Amino acid sequence: MAAILDFTSFLVVLSSARCGDPQLVQEDTSPIINMKLDSRTRTLMWNYTRNVTEQECRIDTPQGSPTTQSPRVKENNTYFCVFSNSVLHRGATLTVNVTSAGAAFQDVLAFANPGKEGSSAVNFSCLIYDVRFMNCSWTSGPAAPADVQYHLYTWTSVEEEASECPHYTTDSTGTRVGCHFDKLGEPKRTDNYFFLVNGTSRETAVQFLDFTPFVAVKIEKYNPPANITFYDNGSHHIIRWDNPEIRFDIATHMLCYELDIQKKGSNSKTDPIFQRGEDKNVHLLPSSATRAESTFRARVRYVYNKLWSEWSSPLHFGECAPGTHVSHGTGHAEPRSSRTSVALGRLVAGVVSIVTVLTFLCKRFSLKQRLFPPIPQVSREVTGSLVSYPEVSRDGGSPPPGSQKPEDILLVEEMQ
């Protein structure tokens, strides 16, 4: 009887040790709850049931190295980590490690891309062109169902809502294979573009395709260099050009130019010349190096990508006298001396025209007579017909009776 009582007392004590203290039971379980992943923004979120002293989050993907972060907390006590540079379409393993009351806990979330393998879009690319436009393109996956239809979403930050493509392009079967953006936002040097391509089909689930952020300044395709001019000063060919208009505010030395100078009729090709951008782009070429007719063209890209612009139109030069000037408008040499002669000829013709007009006006309105009136002269006929009177001396010097005093008659005529 005493043995039974002792055994019963042992069970009561053991029961009290296991069930009587809820705190001991809680400390044996993970404080991490409600762990979930937003695959679009790549944000891992969770909550705690009690205080923790140490914490970290981590992501492992087949295509990238493991990434570890320190969690942040929202106003509603939800903890989160954002893995912006990770790609999820190949699957991922997300882990949260914490320490609570001296004990370490770990919760793991395995993520898989739902849908048929090989059904997602492939060969995705985007480029910005003409400063304010952007085109994206892709092709259907090798295992995509016949009725697949793709949807492109884009955003520039985690806080921004995703927006769908405004203008899709399709192939001959009507499947969406591209998108045109004609209204890009105000450009910023730090712009990043996030893209996500979803797929739908009545036959099967279609996997999505995501990417690391596209750095906007690296996906802009510039227009060719503009206002290319050539001048021969006798010792050198001086070639100048302007930097292209670009979307983002970057320093000119971040532009890289490729200059292609070839001699006409030559069987050997001259190696290209690479030159960094400047505020005033100039390339000097010794005149002796290009005595034969040659062509010049150029293209440009951002120094940290390989997206070249198209080539500029070829500019022809060579075998020209010093002072020759060539612009991109004609593409051919035009000696400056001939241009000066033409200008001088035009000036002389203008002066002659003015003199001719003034002469006509002078004749038409007798301007000459008004400006230069004739000088009166004595008519020869009158002077020849004058009769001289005989002079008779009388006493006292008085004239005879009935005589009159001679008069001087002067006839004036105008000389034409």
Side-chain angles (χ1 to χ4, degrees):
M1 187 63 178
I4 294 175
L5 291 175
D6 292 339
F7 179 71
T8 302
S9 299
F10 172 75
L11 291 177
V12 171
V13 172
L14 182 61
S15 178
S16 299
R18 297 188 61 184
C19 302
D21 190 353
Q23 184 176 359
L24 294 177
V25 177
Q26 187 181 34
E27 291 176 354
D28 290 338
T29 61
S30 173
I32 304 168
I33 59 173
N34 302 329
M35 192 172 173
K36 58 184 179 181
L37 174 68
D38 182 342
S39 59
R40 181 185 75 82
T41 61
R42 301 159 200 173
T43 303
L44 179 65
M45 296 170 285
W46 70 93
N47 299 104
Y48 292 127
T49 58
R50 59 182 182 274
N51 293 334
V52 297
T53 55
E54 297 179 6
Q55 55 181 342
E56 71 171 13
C57 52
R58 169 176 168 152
I59 186 171
D60 294 87
T61 60
Q63 296 177 317
S65 302
T67 301
T68 302
Q69 294 183 11
S70 296
R72 292 175 286 171
V73 61
K74 298 181 180 180
E75 294 181 356
N76 61 357
N77 290 327
T78 297
Y79 290 80
F80 67 100
C81 290
V82 181
F83 301 99
S84 300
N85 296 319
S86 298
V87 175
L88 302 179
H89 66 266
R90 292 294 183 185
T93 300
L94 300 107
T95 306
V96 176
N97 296 305
V98 299
T99 300
S100 178
F105 299 92
Q106 181 184 82
D107 273 27
V108 178
L109 177 65
F111 175 80
N113 188 356
K116 183 180 179 181
E117 186 70 25
S119 61
S120 65
V122 294
N123 301 326
F124 184 88
S125 64
C126 291
L127 66 84
I128 298 171
Y129 68 98
D130 285 347
V131 180
R132 62 185 183 278
F133 302 121
M134 181 169 66
N135 282 347
C136 297
S137 63
W138 60 88
T139 56
S140 299
D147 67 337
V148 67
Q149 199 59 276
Y150 295 106
H151 309 268
L152 174 65
Y153 297 90
T154 182
W155 62 99
T156 58
S157 67
V158 176
E159 294 78 16
E160 181 182 340
E161 292 295 327
S163 58
E164 189 172 1
C165 166
H167 307 287
Y168 284 108
T169 57
T170 60
D171 61 13
S172 57
T173 65
T175 303
R176 294 169 177 170
V177 293
C179 177
H180 172 68
F181 296 88
D182 57 0
K183 292 182 181 180
L184 298 178
E186 288 295 323
K188 297 178 182 178
R189 177 66 178 80
T190 56
D191 277 355
N192 288 332
Y193 289 105
F194 295 84
F195 296 102
L196 174 68
V197 183
N198 280 335
T200 56
S201 170
R202 290 187 297 269
E203 298 179 13
T204 183
V206 179
Q207 291 184 326
F208 69 84
L209 179 65
D210 64 345
F211 318 89
T212 56
F214 283 54
V215 180
V217 71
K218 293 184 178 181
I219 63 172
E220 182 178 6
K221 182 177 181 178
Y222 302 141
N223 290 325
N227 298 328
I228 301 177
T229 59
F230 160 86
Y231 175 68
D232 185 359
N233 67 357
S235 61
H236 287 83
H237 298 313
I238 304 173
I239 304 173
R240 302 178 185 273
W241 65 92
D242 293 342
N243 293 312
E245 182 183 4
I246 59 179
R247 177 172 175 79
F248 302 99
D249 183 19
I250 61 174
T252 55
H253 70 269
M254 301 302 290
L255 301 176
C256 178
Y257 288 93
E258 182 179 357
L259 313 180
D260 180 53
I261 305 174
Q262 302 298 331
K263 294 181 180 179
K264 185 178 180 180
S266 176
N267 294 326
S268 60
K269 187 174 182 181
T270 306
D271 293 334
I273 300 169
F274 295 95
Q275 182 171 315
R276 296 293 283 270
E278 299 175 1
D279 291 338
K280 299 293 183 181
N281 296 296
V282 178
H283 180 71
L284 299 179
L285 190 66
S287 299
S288 58
T290 54
R291 296 188 181 276
E293 183 178 352
S294 304
T295 59
F296 172 88
R297 61 178 186 167
R299 61 179 183 172
V300 60
R301 66 174 172 86
Y302 181 59
V303 70
Y304 290 123
N305 68 24
K306 299 180 180 180
L307 197 60
W308 285 102
S309 73
E310 300 297 331
W311 286 103
S312 64
S313 300
L315 192 70
H316 301 270
F317 65 95
E319 293 187 341
C320 301
T324 298
H325 180 273
V326 182
S327 67
H328 219 193
T330 61
H332 296 279
E334 179 184 350
R336 283 195 171 179
S337 58
S338 65
R339 293 191 300 158
T340 304
S341 300
V342 171
L344 183 59
R346 291 176 178 175
L347 178 61
V348 171
V351 172
V352 171
S353 299
I354 293 174
V355 172
T356 303
V357 172
L358 290 177
T359 302
F360 171 78
L361 293 176
C362 287
K363 290 184 177 180
R364 179 68 178 82
F365 299 104
S366 301
L367 186 60
K368 178 180 178 181
Q369 295 182 12
R370 296 183 180 181
L371 294 177
F372 307 101
I375 301 175
Q377 298 182 7
V378 178
S379 174
R380 294 180 181 178
E381 296 179 357
V382 175
T383 57
S385 61
L386 294 177
V387 179
S388 57
Y389 291 89
E391 296 184 1
V392 179
S393 294
R394 292 184 62 85
D395 293 339
S398 60
S403 66
Q404 297 179 356
K405 186 178 180 179
E407 295 180 358
D408 293 333
I409 300 174
L410 181 64
L411 179 64
V412 178
E413 66 176 352
E414 291 183 357
M415 301 299 292
Q416 299 296 329

